[in-house]
Amino acid sequence: MKTATTEGVQISVSIRFRSDLSDLFHNKYFFNYRIEIQNNNAFDIQLMHRDWFIFDSLDEVSFVSGDGVVGEQPILRPNQKYAYVSGCELSSEIGQMKGFYTFKRLENDSLFQVHIPQFDLIYPGKLN
């Protein structure tokens, strides 16, 4: 698990290769990643936006940007956690993801960025 804290917000990431959704003969490697967000601040925050950089060793770098995560813009009160699962398909056995979330501090509507720690997407067969 990868974990990082920025501006009082802790982001933890765990990864799972999905053999049931992958097709190795057609160079499709699917990974799920679970993100847990914890607000360690003394004020309420709302996740407004996400920005991802996806590195695939056999493809160009992809950039994904959009409102919220998995169709939601959750509000986190002090010490509250929020978790979600999403996925990524690569055309190679090795890749990486990193990015940042944009949060709003609800007491004054100011925006701030929280880094998502870089994590590896590696087909388990490649590690043997």
Side-chain angles (χ1 to χ4, degrees), residues 21 36 84 94 112:
L21 299 177
E36 183 176 276
Y84 72 95
I94 299 173
F112 63 97

Side-chain angles (χ1 to χ4, degrees), residues 55-121:
F55 304 90
D56 188 330
S57 64
L58 295 179
D59 209 348
E60 294 184 25
V61 174
S62 300
F63 177 69
V64 177
S65 183
D67 291 336
V69 291
V70 294
E72 298 182 6
Q73 290 182 311
I75 293 174
L76 286 87
R77 309 228 179 277
N79 298 311
Q80 187 176 13
K81 293 180 183 180
Y82 173 83
Y84 72 95
V85 175
S86 192
C88 177
E89 183 178 294
L90 300 179
S91 60
S92 71
E93 300 170 323
I94 299 173
Q96 294 178 328
M97 289 179 67
K98 69 177 181 178
F100 61 90
Y101 297 122
T102 300
F103 281 88
K104 179 168 46 173
R105 186 174 174 157
L106 294 181
E107 65 187 11
N108 62 13
D109 289 340
S110 63
L111 299 177
F112 63 97
Q113 290 184 347
V114 172
H115 297 281
I116 303 165
Q118 181 171 297
F119 55 93
D120 296 328
L121 304 168

